Amino acid sequence: MRKNSIKLTRINNEVMRELSNIIRGEIKDPRINPMTSVVATDVAPDLKTCKAYISVLGDEESQKNTIKGLKSAEGYIRMQLAKNLNLRNTPEIIFVLDQSIEYGVNMSKLIDEVNKNVEDEQ
């Protein structure tokens, strides 16, 4: 795996920031959960594709609907990215559901539960 250059890291951060702003403020699709956040972006070195890791706070149905809504609004999102970012190519966005935040919350609950049980036994 190739190490990210400083330029590519900066592009990833800019795309992530703009994508968050667009999803939060400009898309009016009712399928998209209001508790949606962009966790990370991975722009290819040739600027042709971008994987956007999306985290949705909600049940599984809400997560699926949010991804469907984002995929249907991909053209609009890409147009807004082209307008807001000055890149040679505007990357094609691939939305990937990221469940790491939800996994962390569940693990934290389990740890608290175990700690509570240990304190009760003592």
Side-chain angles (χ1 to χ4, degrees), residues 13-120:
N13 290 336
E14 282 294 313
V15 169
M16 185 172 77
R17 188 172 54 80
E18 284 300 323
L19 204 54
S20 296
N21 290 339
I22 293 168
I23 291 172
R24 187 175 352 100
E26 298 181 24
I27 297 180
K28 304 292 186 234
D29 194 329
R31 293 178 289 184
I32 298 175
N33 189 321
M35 296 299 287
T36 301
S37 61
V38 180
V39 178
T41 54
D42 188 18
V43 179
D46 62 356
L47 303 179
K48 297 287 185 191
T49 60
C50 169
K51 282 186 181 177
Y53 297 94
I54 306 294
S55 177
V56 180
L57 193 63
D59 60 342
E60 197 170 321
E61 185 67 28
S62 174
Q63 293 173 350
K64 287 180 184 176
N65 286 338
T66 298
I67 293 296
K68 284 180 187 175
L70 288 172
K71 284 182 180 175
S72 71
E74 181 182 349
Y76 175 77
I77 293 171
R78 193 171 177 196
M79 182 185 70
Q80 290 298 325
L81 272 179
K83 218 186 325 184
N84 296 338
L85 295 177
N86 186 17
L87 294 175
R88 185 179 319 120
N89 296 321
T90 303
E92 178 184 334
I93 304 165
I94 301 163
F95 293 103
V96 179
L97 185 62
D98 183 37
Q99 298 177 327
S100 61
I101 294 175
E102 185 178 336
Y103 178 77
V105 169
N106 288 336
M107 290 305 288
S108 180
K109 285 180 185 176
L110 290 174
I111 291 170
D112 290 344
E113 209 174 280
V114 168
N115 285 339
K116 183 182 173 208
N117 289 341
V118 168
E119 288 175 3
D120 290 344

